[in-house]
């Protein structure tokens, strides 16, 4: 849950019993400080196990910009599947793995529009941005889009919807590249009824 942004958004959308999970006590403390809603509780746990969560106890789960930070994707998807009720949903957003590739280079086309030159896409690995102001200075795990989707399918989820949302106006103004390529990939998947 990090600082609780998505957790609070769920409450704002009408969810009534929300549990935010993070492996960082520092992030949980920030989330608690920023949350005044009695419907939200925060729990220190590891997304790779969700050991404190009971089987089939949640209607849905959200992971916003976190899956790429977690080392064991398969264990995480197994844990999420385990805690969801039958027909439960899982929504996630990740940095778009086809664009945010470790060795990607921002380039300009013949028409002057910004683009990305990609190499090393298939080399799944942990990486950190060399840009001290970059969003990946803490590092994350680069995986192919196929790895994300196939892990979900292999663990029993059904894909309902995928999105590659355009950047917000503010983000596109800050980085014109994001007018041309997707920075995020989002999906909603569902656990079957039986």
């Amino acid at each position: 849950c990090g600082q609780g942004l998505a957790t609070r958004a769920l409450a704002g959308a009408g969810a009534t019993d929300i549990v935010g999970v993070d492996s960082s006590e520092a992030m949980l403390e920030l989330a608690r400080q920023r949350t005044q809603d009695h419907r939200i509780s925060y729990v220190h746990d590891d997304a790779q196990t969700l050991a404190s969560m009971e089987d089939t106890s949640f209607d849905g789960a959200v992971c916003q910009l976190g899956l790429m930070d977690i080392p064991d994707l398969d264990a995480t998807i197994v844990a999420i599947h385990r805690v969801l009720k039958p027909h439960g949903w899982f929504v996630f957003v990740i940095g778009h793995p086809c664009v945010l590739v470790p060795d990607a280079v921002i380039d300009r086309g013949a028409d002057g529009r910004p683009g990305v030159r990609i190499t090393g896409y298939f080399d799944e690995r942990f990486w950190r941005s060399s840009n001290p102001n970059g969003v990946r200075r803490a590092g994350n795990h680069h995986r192919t889009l196929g790895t994300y989707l196939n892990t979900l399918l292999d663990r029993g989820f059904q894909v309902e919807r995928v999105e590659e949302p355009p950047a917000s106006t503010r983000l596109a103004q800050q980085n014109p590249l994001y007018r041309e390529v997707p920075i995020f990939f989002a999906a909603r998947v569902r656990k079957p009824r039986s």
Side-chain angles (χ1 to χ4, degrees), residues 170-192:
R170 180 178 176 201
L171 188 56
Q173 287 172 345
Q174 290 174 344
N175 191 335
L177 172 66
Y178 300 147
R179 290 187 187 113
E180 306 293 332
V181 298
I183 187 171
F184 300 118
F185 178 85
R188 182 182 64 233
V189 299
R190 192 170 295 273
K191 181 177 178 176

Side-chain angles (χ1 to χ4, degrees), residues 37-190:
D37 194 315
H38 69 279
R39 297 173 295 170
I40 300 173
S41 60
Y42 292 102
V43 175
H44 184 254
D45 202 341
D46 185 337
Q48 298 168 117
T49 62
L50 297 175
S52 65
M53 308 295 153
E54 294 183 26
D55 293 0
T56 63
S57 57
F58 291 91
D59 296 318
V62 173
C63 187
Q64 183 171 329
L65 299 174
L67 284 180
M68 65 267 196
D69 297 333
I70 299 170
D72 193 337
L73 177 65
D74 188 63
T76 303
I77 299 305
V78 167
I80 293 167
H81 192 276
R82 178 184 62 78
V83 302
L84 287 176
K85 295 176 183 176
H87 206 60
W89 51 266
F90 174 46
V91 172
F92 68 92
V93 178
I94 56 176
H96 204 302
C98 298
V99 176
L100 299 177
V101 178
D103 300 321
V105 175
I106 297 175
D107 211 345
R108 295 213 173 263
D111 62 359
R113 291 167 49 183
V116 182
R117 186 168 23 107
I118 304 291
T119 58
Y121 173 74
F122 295 108
D123 185 12
E124 295 190 353
R125 64 197 183 276
F126 181 81
W127 71 289
R128 284 189 173 88
S129 173
S130 58
N131 177 354
N133 299 314
V135 296
R136 292 291 131 220
R137 62 187 173 271
N140 76 353
H141 298 271
H142 169 69
R143 301 175 177 104
T144 67
L145 185 56
T147 293
Y148 283 105
L149 294 174
N150 287 326
T151 301
L152 290 158
L153 294 168
D154 290 347
R155 294 303 172 196
F157 280 104
Q158 298 169 339
V159 177
E160 289 188 335
R161 183 106 181 135
V162 298
E163 295 285 337
E164 297 171 292
S168 67
T169 302
R170 180 178 176 201
L171 188 56
Q173 287 172 345
Q174 290 174 344
N175 191 335
L177 172 66
Y178 300 147
R179 290 187 187 113
E180 306 293 332
V181 298
I183 187 171
F184 300 118
F185 178 85
R188 182 182 64 233
V189 299
R190 192 170 295 273

